[in-house]
Amino acid sequence: MINHNHDEDDFMMAFQDSCDQPALLLIHGFPLSSNLWIPQIDDLSNFVRVIAPDLRGHGRSDAVSGPYSVEMLADDCADLLSSLNVSTPFVVCGLSLGGYVAFEFYRRYQEYIGGLILTATRAIPDSEEGKANRDKMADAARQQGVTAVTQAMLPKLLAPATYENDAELVEFVAEMMNDTSVAGVIGGLAAMRDRPDSTPTLAEIDVPVLVIHGDADQIVPLVEAEAMAAAIPNGKLVVIPNAGHLPNLEQPDAFNDAVIDFLESLALGE
Ligand code: MLT
């Protein structure tokens, strides 16, 4: 745990850190935690210093009340890296909400970044209908608790085959979701609802970018990831077969191989 202290905005932020170099920051999706990255912490720690925070309100970080924004979440991550004195350049990897935060992190701190990994995420903002759905989900969390969000989202988070056949993984993800605080769910929904359009950022990214996407992602269709990767000057797309919105958990070996190839191509820290 680290004390994240910004004047009155004071909370305990939890994180996992494998201590090696160069650093890989892993930003989880909604409403998950750093436990999303257990297969990466286990397998990638031989190659890089893996740092996986629990975003505010999620996992073991304090249940700070909202509103949250992607700007605030990016600053939380930057403050953590600064407290840990990580060497630069480092690589930032974000899944879904974590990808929205990674875009903002890039806009704010690009001088420290050597590469970006964007997985199961999109550059476009929420539609008006999408924003209204965020508010409905926040109301459900307020009135019925976090399990209402878990029940609505969980079948869509995994590929249909994973959901049907891998009860252990389904249970693991459900527990991670249910561990999120109501404040974290409401704050995370507001951050996603109000996130800026990252489409104009794509052409400006001047570091190598790896886009990793599951072929059975039911939340962000693969065509969006294809368009996003094509719009990034130095962007490469890896499609993971038999994976939904959580490709790093559903197909960890394929995901980790793609990340290791990318990290080797960057040759950071040599
Ligand atoms: C996530 O996985 O972080 C969210 O489902 C993304 C979203 O709803 O836009």
Side-chain angles (χ1 to χ4, degrees):
M1 286 282 218
I2 198 160
N3 190 9
H4 176 285
N5 191 343
H6 259 325
D7 302 327
E8 294 178 6
D9 188 18
D10 190 358
F11 72 102
M12 296 302 289
M13 186 174 199
F15 62 97
Q16 303 192 34
D17 179 358
S18 70
C19 286
D20 203 349
Q21 292 189 358
L24 172 66
L25 171 68
L26 298 173
I27 312 174
H28 63 78
F30 169 86
L32 304 168
S33 75
S34 60
N35 282 347
L36 171 72
W37 302 113
I38 286 176
Q40 285 64 54
I41 295 167
D42 286 351
D43 286 0
L44 300 177
S45 298
N46 291 334
F47 299 88
V48 276
R49 176 181 182 179
V50 181
I51 299 170
D54 291 342
L55 295 175
R56 56 172 67 208
H58 295 70
R60 291 178 304 115
S61 285
D62 282 353
V64 196
S65 42
Y68 302 177
S69 64
V70 289
E71 292 83 356
M72 180 187 270
L73 299 177
D75 284 351
D76 289 347
C77 293
D79 289 348
L80 174 65
L81 296 194
S82 157
S83 311
L84 297 175
N85 288 319
V86 297
S87 59
T88 59
F90 48 76
V91 177
V92 177
C93 168
L95 180 141
S96 204
L97 161 63
Y100 311 154
V101 176
F103 278 125
E104 190 57 41
F105 195 107
Y106 181 80
R107 287 190 284 270
R108 289 174 174 241
Y109 305 106
Q110 55 190 268
E111 63 273 30
Y112 305 122
I113 297 180
L116 271 178
I117 302 172
L118 300 170
T119 184
T121 197
R122 50 162 56 110
I124 56 171
D126 275 6
S127 63
E128 287 311 311
E129 189 192 353
K131 286 179 200 272
N133 284 336
R134 304 286 191 199
D135 292 338
K136 275 190 210 147
M137 204 175 265
D139 282 345
R142 233 175 254 117
Q143 283 158 22
Q144 300 159 45
V146 173
T147 50
V149 174
T150 303
Q151 277 163 17
M153 278 188 72
L154 185 54
K156 289 187 236 147
L157 275 184
L158 301 165
T162 315
Y163 190 70
E164 275 159 37
N165 303 325
D166 194 340
E168 205 178 316
L169 188 62
V170 172
E171 185 54 32
F172 176 73
V173 176
E175 269 179 32
M176 203 177 357
M177 298 173 88
N178 288 335
D179 278 348
T180 309
S181 65
V182 173
V185 165
I186 294 170
L189 285 164
M192 293 192 288
R193 179 195 61 202
D194 299 334
R195 72 186 190 275
D197 184 2
S198 291
T199 316
T201 305
L202 299 176
E204 292 165 10
I205 300 178
D206 68 355
V207 295
V209 179
L210 174 64
V211 176
I212 310 181
H213 214 82
D215 67 349
D217 190 324
Q218 302 179 77
I219 293 184
V220 182
L222 178 57
V223 286
E224 283 193 42
E226 287 167 347
M228 186 171 78
I232 299 171
N234 196 353
K236 182 186 166 207
L237 172 69
V238 170
V239 179
I240 309 279
N242 307 316
H245 194 58
L246 305 180
N248 66 305
L249 273 185
E250 297 179 66
Q251 302 296 340
D253 291 344
F255 186 94
N256 291 348
D257 285 351
V259 172
I260 290 165
D261 284 351
F262 180 67
L263 293 172
E264 284 176 350
S265 75
L266 297 177
L268 299 176
E270 283 180 5

